[in-house]
Amino acid sequence: MSVLRRILGTSAETRNLTGLGLIPSAFDRVPGLSKPRIDETSVLGLSTAWGCVTLLADLISTLPIDAYVRDNGQRRPYRPSGSKPAWLLNPIPGSNVTINEILSQTVVSLYLNGNAFLFAPKDPETMEPLEVRVLDPRAVTIHRRGREIYYVVRTSAGVEGVEFGTDTILHIPLITLPGQERGINPIEALRNTLSLGLTLDESASNFFATGSTPTGIIETVDTLTADQVKSIKEGWLRHHTGANAHTPGVLSGGATFKALSFRPEDAQLLASREFTVNEIARIFRVPPALLAVTTPGAMSYSSVVELNAAFVSYTLRPLAEKLERALSILIPLPEAFTRLSMDALLRGSTRERFEAYRIGLSEGWINVSEIRRLEDLVPVNDAAADAYRQPLNQADSALASARQKADVYAILIGAGIDPAEAKRIARL
């Protein structure tokens, strides 16, 4: 009888445990994965999706917005009562909701549902919106009665909806199929990709939370019963975990402890999650660099700058124009429109801005007063600041000829020629 068996005080059994019988004892906490539920809330649980949606919502909602009207081809601010339209200043009267929050909610609704519905009842006299609020897109259904489109809005589950027309509900779809009124839901269309991301997140969380892979295995030369395996395991955990972690252990009876090393990369866990991050960033058309994802050796300063410029041109600009066209419908005048200023995103560094101002000033299409206004500087009381400069090499030909004649006349006078003769020679 071995030393280990004598310590445990048991005798040999006729039923022996095979290697297959030991595996469940060592790996008795392996998690099982179920198909994740895909909806707006669960998708936002993905850090990449959260980063993309919040980035787009924050950028669009912080862009300055104003209303304008075209007057004889010139853009002028639209001021129906001496100031901006009331719904641009206070979209929901009696609340602290700003137009920035309305824009943010609209972008979130677009990218998580594919549709945004704005409730905007109008004043029957001025036709200006009395309020503007974003509705839960899941509570709105679209119906058609002949050529007329109307919307049914439910306030809560199980409650009969209220019907509104297109004069009250403003519908903004992200992308639609021909012949369809409702926009395509990105979560439904890309369910497999998003489901993979959620599954990988759950797998990684379960792996590190349960520790399904043991740190080591105790091997013996003898065959052990189930009770002996349980006793040795519990004794090891009791004496070498918690406050007793990293303390030396003593094994006898030919038992040995073999440490196991496991790297998540071995199961391609990290590589799969990185692939999913790039996939989700591609869905929202957001450069991975803006999500703090960089691949060593593949990203340089110039490539990041170019990707950021492409992000403004191909992601933010189309989104901003979609919102501008939709919000312009809320203004009663057909020649009036809303505009989101992209200048804040394209300002560049101080050196780049000043270089652009220098070129504009020397070319004569901007003056000092306009530059100071763009930089939010105090205006100067000087007529020269309002003047536009003109390069001499681009001056009118008649003015250039007169300047040349005057120079010739000055040279002749300086040489002692009679003024009358100098005028004749210079053809003045």
Side-chain angles (χ1 to χ4, degrees), residues 80-98:
S81 57
S83 62
K84 286 184 178 182
W87 60 273
L88 281 178
L89 299 173
N90 188 13
I92 304 177
S95 71
N96 294 325
V97 177
T98 64

Side-chain angles (χ1 to χ4, degrees), residues 142-410:
I142 306 176
H143 301 273
R144 180 179 286 274
R145 187 184 295 115
R147 295 184 177 182
E148 178 187 1
I149 295 177
Y150 64 96
Y151 306 91
V152 176
V153 182
R154 301 184 309 276
T155 56
S156 60
V159 177
E160 184 177 356
V162 181
E163 181 179 323
F164 296 99
T166 55
D167 57 338
T168 303
I169 300 294
L170 177 60
H171 177 210
I172 310 174
L174 183 63
I175 182 174
T176 57
L177 289 174
Q180 300 292 322
E181 280 84 22
R182 195 174 186 93
I184 299 175
N185 189 329
I187 295 178
E188 294 292 336
L190 301 163
R191 175 176 295 273
N192 290 336
T193 301
L194 298 172
S195 177
L196 174 61
L198 290 172
T199 301
L200 289 173
D201 267 12
E202 182 181 356
S203 175
S205 176
N206 287 335
F207 173 80
F208 291 106
T210 62
S212 57
T213 300
T215 58
I217 292 178
I218 299 176
E219 292 184 350
T220 66
V221 295
D222 299 314
T223 302
L224 304 178
T225 65
D227 291 337
Q228 290 173 329
V229 170
K230 181 179 179 181
S231 178
I232 293 175
K233 181 178 179 180
E234 290 178 351
W236 186 269
L237 291 175
R238 184 169 59 253
H239 294 290
H240 301 287
T241 58
N244 299 320
H246 307 294
T247 58
V250 179
L251 295 172
S252 61
T256 59
F257 179 84
K258 289 186 177 181
L260 296 179
S261 61
F262 177 84
R263 296 181 305 166
E265 296 89 337
D266 295 338
Q268 296 183 348
L269 178 61
L270 296 184
S272 299
R273 296 192 71 193
E274 182 179 352
F275 173 77
T276 305
V277 167
N278 291 327
E279 284 290 291
I280 296 176
R282 186 178 296 114
I283 290 173
F284 291 98
R285 294 194 296 179
V286 174
L290 295 180
L291 303 173
V293 177
T294 57
T295 302
M299 302 296 292
S300 62
Y301 174 78
S302 59
S303 62
V304 170
V305 172
E306 291 175 359
L307 285 175
N308 290 344
F311 172 64
V312 174
S313 300
Y314 304 122
T315 301
L316 293 182
R317 185 187 57 80
L319 178 59
E321 291 189 3
K322 180 186 293 291
L323 297 178
E324 289 171 351
R325 289 193 297 269
L327 294 177
S328 297
I329 300 176
L330 300 179
I331 303 178
L333 293 182
E335 62 273 16
F337 58 93
T338 59
R339 178 65 57 88
L340 288 164
S341 177
M342 305 286 288
D343 293 340
L345 296 175
L346 302 174
R347 282 179 65 87
S349 64
T350 303
R351 183 189 183 108
E352 291 172 340
R353 295 200 314 276
F354 285 4
E355 179 65 18
Y357 293 150
R358 185 190 64 79
I359 296 174
L361 192 63
S362 62
E363 294 296 327
W365 51 265
I366 193 172
N367 58 39
V368 174
S369 294
E370 292 170 338
I371 293 174
R372 296 185 67 86
R373 185 163 56 250
L374 290 173
E375 289 294 320
D376 294 326
L377 298 175
V378 178
V380 293
N381 187 16
D382 189 349
D386 298 326
Y388 292 93
R389 303 178 183 179
Q390 186 177 26
L392 293 178
N393 59 351
Q394 297 181 9
D396 183 80
S397 58
L399 179 61
S401 177
R403 189 181 298 276
Q404 292 176 354
K405 293 178 181 179
D407 291 341
V408 171
Y409 176 77

Side-chain angles (χ1 to χ4, degrees), residues 46-66:
L46 289 168
S47 60
T48 307
W50 174 275
C52 291
V53 173
T54 54
L55 176 67
L56 292 168
D58 290 345
L59 288 175
I60 292 297
S61 64
T62 53
L63 293 177
I65 184 172
D66 204 344

Side-chain angles (χ1 to χ4, degrees), residues 17-24:
L17 291 178
T18 63
L20 293 177
L22 286 174
I23 292 178

